[in-house]
């Protein structure tokens, strides 16, 4: 099963293995460098069918750390083109995850301790749907106004246009792990009383608007993925039932695949980590007709084959 190809729109993946987007904290001012070329190129040489580039910020303020990759200016494109050309030359498909870290932005990199960076210490003012800090260690984010929300949508649009020019063949919208778009989805972090808060339909509005706006500027045949936290592992948060409902709506909007992760938005949540712990989420979402990718403690070829054989992802 691992080696069966998978066609998504006009893209064919040569096997069922994709490399998840994983932050590497190795960029300066958002620019990729030779380190990234070797890092991603090596995985393509190794035979992975799909290489999803780490969370790439649509604005400097949307970076998790000052060392994140970015795609907020045209100057970033040139090096990405080199990376995507090499990935393609190895028979793999280059994808990019577009991200805005919201209230979880402005941290130091993990190797430096990962602490929150105040503006005085090289960080910046964070933003979110509501002025609710992620944890006791972080500052209170600034609540986005309606016009600033429209600006965020435009940032994703411009980033998508650059991603197409840079040669990426799939775009993944990051709406997981407690970053901005998921902060809007979750009743734990979104206490707004306008059209972007409250009931389910309002909380999903920003994600839907980003998806629709990006679809307008990318080629019709270009696949779009959305990364979600399928559950927040706490009663007061976003649930798998809401994710399934969201999947049905995103399927109608033309999203091709949901990349099914979990957690990240509630600092106190307790996650039951064990092998294949997130596979049931991909399975539940797939029943809507949405293609799914599963991630997290999937470590052997036997596990992969079992997931595919059972049709769980």
């Amino acid at each position: 099963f691992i080696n069966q190809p998978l066609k998504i729109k006009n893209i064919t993946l040569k096997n069922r293995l994709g490399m998840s987007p994983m932050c590497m904290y190795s960029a300066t001012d958002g620019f990729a460098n030779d380190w990234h070329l070797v890092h991603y190129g090596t995985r393509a040489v190794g035979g992975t069918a799909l290489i999803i580039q780490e969370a790439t910020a649509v604005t400097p303020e949307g970076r998790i750390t000052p060392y994140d990759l970015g795609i907020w200016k045209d100057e970033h494109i040139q090096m990405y083109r080199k990376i995507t050309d090499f990935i393609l030359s190895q028979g793999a498909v280059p994808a990019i995850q577009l991200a805005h870290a919201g209230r979880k932005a402005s941290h130091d990199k993990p190797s430096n301790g990962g602490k929150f960076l105040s503006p005085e210490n090289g960080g910046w003012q964070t933003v979110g749907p509501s002025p609710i800090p992620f944890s006791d260690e972080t500052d209170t984010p600034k609540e986005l106004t309606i016009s600033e929300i429209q600006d965020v949508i435009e940032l994703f649009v411009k980033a998508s246009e650059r991603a197409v020019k840079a040669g990426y063949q799939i775009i993944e919208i990051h709406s997981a792990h407690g970053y901005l778009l998921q902060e809007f989805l979750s009743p734990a972090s979104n206490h707004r009383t306008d059209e972007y808060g409250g009931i389910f339909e309002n909380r999903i509005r920003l994600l839907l608007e980003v998806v629709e706006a990006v679809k307008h500027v990318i080629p019709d045949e270009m696949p779009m993925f959305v990364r979600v936290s399928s559950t927040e592992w706490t009663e007061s948060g976003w649930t798998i039932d809401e994710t399934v409902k969201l999947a049905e709506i995103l399927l109608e909007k033309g999203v091709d695949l949901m990349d099914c992760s979990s957690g990240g938005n509630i600092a106190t949540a307790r996650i039951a980590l064990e092998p294949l712990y997130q596979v049931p989420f991909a399975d539940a979402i797939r029943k809507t007709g949405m293609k799914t990718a599963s991630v997290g403690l999937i470590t052997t070829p036997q596990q992969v084959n079992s997931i595919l054989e059972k049709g769980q992802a």
Side-chain angles (χ1 to χ4, degrees), residues 175-219:
S175 185
H177 303 163
Y179 300 127
L180 185 65
L181 297 182
Q182 196 211 339
E183 292 165 18
F184 272 84
L185 297 181
S186 172
S189 47
N190 182 350
H191 292 183
R192 299 177 75 96
T193 54
D194 60 15
E195 65 263 41
Y196 289 97
I199 58 170
F200 172 81
E201 287 72 19
N202 287 353
R203 286 182 280 117
I204 68 171
R205 190 182 304 277
L206 176 56
L207 174 57
L208 297 190
E209 288 179 346
V210 167
V211 163
E212 287 174 347
V214 168
K215 297 256 336 153
H216 271 301
V217 298
I218 63 174

Side-chain angles (χ1 to χ4, degrees), residues 67-112:
Y67 310 95
D68 291 18
L69 285 178
I71 192 159
W72 63 80
K73 53 186 173 185
D74 292 346
E75 289 77 9
H76 288 140
I77 294 172
Q78 189 180 357
M79 189 62 187
Y80 291 145
R81 187 88 228 185
K82 201 169 166 185
I83 293 169
T84 59
D85 283 349
F86 186 82
I87 291 171
L88 286 164
S89 77
Q90 301 307 304
V93 173
I96 185 171
Q97 183 185 68
L98 300 178
H100 190 308
R103 65 177 186 167
K104 288 180 78 175
S106 194
H107 281 73
D108 208 340
K109 57 182 166 184
S111 57
N112 291 341

